[in-house]
Amino acid sequence: MAILGNIIKGVIDLKDTFSSETNHVEEQKKVLKNLLEKAKDTAFGQAYNFDSILDSEDPGTSFTKIPYHDYNKINEEWWHKLQEGVENVTWPGNPEYFALSSGTTGKVSKRIPVTNEMIEAIRAGGVKQVFALTNFDLPPDFFEKEIMMLGSSTDLRERKEHLEGEISGISASNIPFWFRGYYKPGEDIAKIDDWDERVQTIAERAADWDIGALSGIPSWMELMMEKVISHNKLNNIHEIWPNLQVYTSGGVAFKPYEKSFNALLGKPITVIDTYLASEGFIACQTRPETQSMELITDNGIYFEFVPFEPEYIQQDGSLTEDAPSITLADVENDKEYVLIISTVSGAWRYIIGDTIAFTDKDRAEIKITGRTKFFLNTVGSQLSVNKMDDAMRHLEEVFSAKIPEYTICAKREADEEFYHCWYLGCDISSEKAQEVSEKLDAFLKDANKNYKVARSKALKGVKVTLISPERFYDWNERNKKKGGQVKMERVMNEEKFKTWEEFIADY
């Protein structure tokens, strides 16, 4: 009998019994006031007169007078001072950590401050998700199993007087002491910086562990499971981890990877989505009836939402100065928004780069729909990542295939006409490229009226190249690094796409 598991599950159930429904709108008002109070004496707080915002009748409205900041703007004007040891810039004191994030835009890492308050907020978000497990009807013995957290290396680098690494590595290096007995692959293996060496070591040690849950970005989790299966000569991952019951996804939408991920399993498992970015723990799935995630509205992040409309989005994915923002109180279900955050790490009206849609505004539940930089509007096609992902799922059904990776560019060819040039990482024969192109084009015409109009005018055609998904992982390794928070860019500009095509041609 799983005595310990029953005890842990009982504690979680008891906690859930005493939990009350969160008033998300009111919690957000408290968070904004707390952020302004704590940062009013910083250089940023004084420059934008946080005192007057706090004294106004409607701080939420007054707050919108502060301009939007993307990473480049806030770093050039404020955050670069933090790296020189200047204190009280955008948040009291000076952060101990910087999260390195190249995102999906290139080789140069962004350095995003991570304060002790943010570490606590991320930890609290993790606890919130643990307590939500009671909603998923997991058996008591699940709570005795080990959890494989596959992120970036926890061997953080010292730079001047700070420690830096990817947010998953920073978070894992700060896990609570009581959790360390459950945490795998363990501190020693987690510190291995080389991705291939770390995964090889995991494969060699896999039989020593009783893994009940996995946590990490889907693409890299798949590669890890493939290595474990190959090294141990298995048919599927459940042959070595028979008690695996839960996968906590994060960083990107799981849906594009669902088919290829499930192919590595021996039986169905529960998939729970999370939304942990370099800037903070934003949302997590708290109930099994939906795949949507609940915004963490009471813990260190204030949210605003800009309607995701073409007139507000500039070519580089940034927002126009006059783009209107609304608060949680005024959002609508099933409408796409650009997510804006202000945080206990000193991010202010920060464009995180993601687009979301509310599925249940009363519960503050959302789904990630794409990236502002991946909104393809050349020649008026107005394609979001959400629509592109839908197209991939359609092709998977039509061709009985797996398509975990893809990228696209609106490219002017030799005839001076624009084409949508797609590369699909899949298991479809290259001989079917023309047929795939036709099916893809037809689906997008039916799904998006703007695309259909563009195809009748300035968008001349669609070209598809079918390659192995491994080429995408090799590209990431060459341009960034394997594993961790690294994600593939879904939309490339022509300059980047030229480099991509030269890279692929070398194989």
Side-chain angles (χ1 to χ4, degrees):
M1 182 177 180
I3 297 175
L4 179 59
N6 274 296
I7 293 172
I8 296 172
K9 189 173 189 298
V11 170
I12 293 175
D13 287 340
L14 186 63
K15 169 68 167 59
D16 188 61
T17 300
F18 287 106
S19 296
S20 57
E21 289 292 324
T22 300
N23 185 323
H24 295 286
V25 172
E26 289 304 313
E27 290 296 342
Q28 280 286 276
K29 291 179 181 178
K30 292 177 186 176
V31 167
L32 176 59
K33 183 177 179 181
N34 181 61
L35 291 173
L36 294 170
E37 285 281 4
K38 288 194 173 182
K40 65 183 180 181
D41 294 325
T42 63
F44 191 96
Q46 291 180 352
Y48 290 104
N49 204 348
F50 281 11
D51 274 325
S52 68
I53 296 175
L54 284 162
D55 290 338
S56 65
E57 290 186 12
D58 185 358
T61 299
S62 299
F63 186 63
T64 62
K65 295 175 183 177
I66 298 171
Y68 298 117
H69 290 79
D70 59 13
Y71 174 79
N72 290 333
K73 178 177 173 62
I74 200 168
N75 189 60
E76 289 169 6
E77 296 179 4
W78 302 97
W79 282 352
H80 74 93
K81 302 174 185 177
L82 298 172
Q83 297 169 37
E84 304 302 323
V86 180
E87 295 191 345
N88 304 321
V89 178
T90 58
W91 192 255
N94 192 274
E96 183 177 347
Y97 302 95
F98 280 94
L100 300 180
S101 172
S102 59
T104 45
T105 57
K107 209 166 186 177
V108 178
S109 289
K110 301 174 183 177
R111 285 184 165 83
I112 297 166
V114 180
T115 61
N116 289 331
E117 290 93 335
M118 180 55 76
I119 293 291
E120 288 302 315
I122 291 172
R123 187 177 294 172
V127 170
K128 177 184 177 70
Q129 185 151 49
V130 168
F131 282 130
L133 289 174
T134 187
N135 299 327
F136 290 83
D137 195 30
L138 296 166
D141 65 356
F142 168 77
F143 298 92
E144 292 183 330
K145 307 306 178 187
E146 295 160 325
I147 300 176
M148 171 66 70
M149 297 172 62
L150 190 65
S152 57
S153 171
T154 59
D155 189 17
L156 306 178
R157 294 181 291 278
E158 289 190 28
R159 185 173 185 269
K160 298 181 179 177
E161 296 185 2
H162 306 100
L163 294 173
E164 60 181 33
E166 291 183 20
I167 192 64
S168 57
I170 293 172
S171 300
S173 67
N174 282 278
I175 60 174
F177 73 91
W178 53 266
F179 182 69
R180 290 175 187 167
Y182 297 93
Y183 166 57
K184 293 293 177 273
E187 295 181 53
D188 291 341
I189 298 175
K191 284 183 177 180
I192 299 174
D193 188 53
D194 182 84
W195 163 262
D196 292 315
E197 181 184 348
R198 192 177 348 141
V199 170
Q200 178 62 36
T201 307
I202 288 172
E204 293 168 0
R205 292 284 310 279
D208 299 338
W209 304 321
D210 188 5
I211 302 296
L214 303 173
S215 178
I217 286 181
S219 55
W220 304 115
M221 189 62 69
E222 285 188 21
L223 289 180
M224 182 275 291
M225 289 196 291
E226 287 172 356
K227 176 63 74 173
V228 171
I229 290 169
S230 172
H231 178 81
N232 293 282
K233 298 179 173 56
L234 310 171
N235 295 309
N236 60 69
I237 200 67
H238 276 107
E239 291 184 359
I240 198 165
W241 295 331
N243 293 309
L244 175 61
Q245 299 179 65
V246 171
Y247 169 50
T248 302
S249 180
V252 296
F254 176 69
K255 200 68 178 175
Y257 301 91
E258 184 174 23
K259 192 166 186 177
S260 54
F261 191 95
N262 288 342
L264 302 173
L265 307 177
K267 55 188 175 183
I269 63 175
T270 299
V271 177
I272 302 175
D273 267 329
T274 63
Y275 187 178
L276 173 64
S278 298
E279 294 83 358
F281 199 151
I282 292 171
C284 61
Q285 185 181 346
T286 59
R287 57 195 186 102
E289 303 96 298
T290 177
Q291 292 182 325
S292 299
M293 297 173 287
E294 181 184 320
L295 287 174
I296 300 176
T297 56
D298 59 353
N299 196 19
I301 301 179
Y302 178 70
F303 301 102
E304 297 173 85
F305 312 92
V306 173
F308 187 42
E309 304 291 347
E311 59 264 34
Y312 303 139
I313 312 298
Q314 303 191 84
Q315 193 65 34
D316 63 355
S318 62
L319 296 176
T320 60
E321 291 183 5
D322 63 346
S325 69
I326 59 176
T327 65
L328 187 59
D330 298 315
V331 297
E332 299 175 30
N333 285 339
D334 304 318
K335 184 172 182 178
E336 282 191 273
Y337 297 98
V338 179
L339 185 62
I340 310 297
I341 63 172
S342 300
T343 78
V344 291
S345 276
W348 297 104
R349 304 205 78 210
Y350 184 88
I351 307 166
I352 196 170
D354 291 330
T355 59
I356 59 97
F358 281 85
T359 55
D360 189 328
K361 66 177 186 177
D362 294 330
R363 295 178 183 267
E365 288 181 341
I366 64 165
K367 61 181 179 181
I368 301 172
T369 58
R371 299 278 294 170
T372 56
K373 290 181 184 293
F374 296 169
F375 179 55
L376 188 61
N377 197 30
T378 308
V379 300
S381 55
Q382 293 190 25
L383 278 184
S384 68
V385 170
N386 206 27
K387 285 287 188 291
M388 297 178 204
D389 284 347
D390 288 346
M392 295 304 104
R393 305 294 73 74
H394 173 72
L395 293 177
E396 284 184 335
E397 290 182 11
V398 170
F399 292 94
S400 299
K402 299 187 288 288
I403 312 175
E405 300 290 355
Y406 68 88
T407 193
I408 178 177
C409 175
K411 180 182 174 186
R412 191 188 297 272
E413 296 282 43
D415 60 2
E416 293 300 311
E417 299 283 1
F418 274 103
Y419 293 80
H420 275 183
C421 298
W422 294 77
Y423 278 76
L424 308 188
C426 61
D427 54 0
I428 304 173
S429 168
S430 59
E431 296 175 355
K432 294 187 176 182
Q434 182 58 38
E435 185 182 355
V436 172
S437 174
E438 292 169 0
K439 297 291 185 184
L440 173 60
D441 192 32
F443 176 86
L444 290 175
K445 284 178 181 176
D446 288 340
N448 187 325
K449 63 180 181 182
N450 293 303
Y451 176 86
K452 185 175 183 179
V453 170
R455 282 288 287 114
S456 68
K457 295 181 178 179
L459 184 58
K460 183 70 172 178
V462 176
K463 297 182 178 182
V464 171
T465 304
L466 307 176
I467 60 175
S468 166
E470 291 291 332
R471 301 290 80 81
F472 288 84
Y473 308 139
D474 294 341
W475 165 263
N476 280 335
E477 182 177 22
R478 194 192 91 164
N479 287 275
K480 304 163 192 173
K481 192 177 182 181
K482 277 187 174 179
Q485 298 294 108
V486 174
K487 294 158 277 190
M488 182 66 196
E489 52 264 76
R490 295 306 194 196
V491 176
M492 294 186 188
N493 60 32
E494 287 194 65
E495 181 181 357
K496 186 72 170 283
F497 198 69
K498 181 181 178 182
T499 306
W500 160 261
E501 292 201 299
E502 290 171 351
F503 172 80
I504 294 300
D506 286 341
Y507 279 93

